[in-house]
Amino acid sequence: MPTHRRSWLGLAAATILAACSESTSPPLPDSQGLNSDLQTVSAVFQTDVFKSFGAIGTAPGSPAATTTPPGALLRATSPLAPSSANQPYAATPQRLQALRVAASGMTAATTGVIPPAVWGKTYVWDVATHQYVVGPDPGPANGVRIILYQVDAFGQVIEPPVQVGHVDLLDESDANTSKLHVIVQDASPSPVTYADYTISATVVGSPVSEFTGTASGYVSDGTRTVTFSASFHATQLDTLAPDLQLDVTWDLDNPPVSVTLHVTITTSDADHATIAINLSVTRGGATVALSGTVTIGPGTVTADLTITVPEGTFARITGTNEGITIRHPNGSDLFHPAEHLMGG
């Protein structure tokens, strides 16, 4: 799938924020507050504990590495909320690939997510081998505990390791559905829960051709809480042209902000795809939305996106990789994005 897709989707998100400084009609409702609240939603996911949790997929020796069934499922259903940059829909192609990896490790006859060999164990960081190893303490009876440590900007455990918390991955699968319960807590004497959510998934076919999943629960920074609910449906996973539908809602408690995302990727072959997007942010009773399509072909990208506010259309984003325009309904330019497309 073409890599320049990310640049165009990131540009679309950046357009909303660039518009915050424009004096236009109709105006964005409290544009500075909108930007600030989006950053607040995203910041809930930026605690040291949650960053360390996000690093277990690439840590050597981790029982939740992205190459394992639980690690692949964690990555594919990540609850990360949108920020003021190019998340979350710019990463949709990467999420689709993660779903393919997760689905490949599952079977239609559910046998669980976490290998029984690691049940009841706790994994700790070993400075001698620079990787996770089984520690002396027991873990949860139906899953595994991974101790979390401070990580650097690249997600690598900093040595000597400093514990910041732990994650319990509990296998709650039944005869029909794979279920992974995720609980992230800090290392304080009375542990604070920073995340508590459950992933459910089923697959069809052998090899797997279809994946259906959900993820719901909450993430907290100890003060604010983002409750989220996500659903995933991927088909044709056994071909070079898989399709994906993703629906997510994030609700911040303070200040009250709701973000909803609907994305579909439809591919006709390995080189052609259409991404349909509907991203909306509601705060103070007002909703700003971005919707439309980005079509990808060999060497070509075509965008047709619209930003709407309560009073109507705010701007249209149209064009191809040969040239794109972002204009108000009256035809005046809103933003000159050419420099953002370089190196796409």
Side-chain angles (χ1 to χ4, degrees):
M1 304 181 79
T3 57
H4 55 268
R5 181 176 309 170
R6 292 194 62 184
S7 296
W8 275 70
L9 294 179
L11 169 63
T15 302
I16 294 181
L17 301 175
C20 294
S21 62
E22 298 285 332
S23 176
T24 62
S25 180
L28 280 174
D30 187 15
S31 56
Q32 291 185 345
L34 171 67
N35 188 19
S36 175
D37 286 350
L38 272 175
Q39 292 178 2
T40 299
V41 174
S42 180
V44 174
F45 294 79
Q46 300 303 312
T47 62
D48 288 343
V49 178
F50 201 79
K51 286 180 180 178
S52 296
F53 164 59
I56 62 174
T58 55
S62 168
T66 54
T67 53
T68 66
L73 194 60
L74 284 172
R75 183 184 179 208
T77 60
S78 170
L80 286 177
S83 68
S84 58
N86 61 359
Q87 289 287 347
Y89 52 83
T92 304
Q94 287 74 20
R95 189 185 290 273
L96 176 55
Q97 180 58 30
L99 280 173
R100 297 185 74 171
V101 173
S104 68
M106 299 172 61
T107 61
T110 302
T111 56
V113 181
I114 302 173
V118 302
W119 283 25
K121 296 179 180 179
T122 292
Y123 279 73
V124 300
W125 190 258
D126 179 45
V127 294
T129 58
H130 311 293
Q131 65 178 6
Y132 273 105
V133 298
V134 177
D137 297 328
N142 63 325
V144 62
R145 172 169 292 186
I146 304 172
I147 303 301
L148 302 176
Y149 302 92
Q150 287 183 351
V151 295
D152 61 22
F154 302 100
Q156 306 296 315
V157 173
I158 299 171
E159 294 183 345
V162 176
Q163 182 178 345
V164 296
H166 68 266
V167 56
D168 285 343
L169 302 178
L170 310 179
D171 198 325
E172 299 178 352
S173 302
D174 56 34
N176 301 308
T177 306
S178 297
K179 293 182 181 179
L180 184 64
H181 189 177
V182 182
I183 303 173
V184 180
Q185 296 182 317
D186 69 6
S188 61
S190 299
V192 175
T193 300
Y194 281 76
D196 189 335
Y197 65 97
T198 300
I199 304 165
S200 298
T202 59
V203 295
V204 174
S206 181
V208 172
S209 61
E210 183 175 351
F211 175 100
T212 302
T214 62
S216 60
Y218 72 87
V219 175
S220 174
D221 62 3
T223 302
R224 299 182 175 92
T225 298
V226 173
T227 303
F228 69 92
S229 178
S231 64
F232 313 85
H233 186 213
T235 58
Q236 303 184 116
L237 292 173
D238 55 342
T239 73
L240 295 176
D243 297 337
L244 171 67
Q245 178 173 315
L246 165 66
D247 291 276
V248 192
T249 299
W250 297 268
D251 292 304
L252 177 67
D253 60 348
N254 182 31
V257 180
S258 181
V259 182
T260 62
L261 171 70
H262 172 81
V263 175
T264 63
I265 296 181
T266 304
T267 54
S268 56
D269 56 48
D271 297 316
H272 295 82
T274 298
I275 305 177
I277 305 159
N278 193 318
L279 171 69
S280 66
V281 182
T282 301
R283 59 180 302 279
T287 299
V288 177
L290 171 72
S291 61
T293 60
V294 175
T295 304
I296 312 295
T300 64
V301 182
T302 303
D304 187 359
L305 300 161
T306 301
I307 300 172
T308 58
V309 294
E311 292 82 0
T313 299
F314 177 76
R316 288 282 308 280
I317 308 169
T318 59
T320 71
N321 50 306
E322 297 297 327
I324 188 172
T325 61
I326 305 177
R327 295 192 173 111
H328 297 300
N330 63 8
S332 62
D333 285 341
L334 166 67
F335 188 40
H336 300 283
E339 65 274 14
H340 296 269
L341 298 179
M342 298 303 293

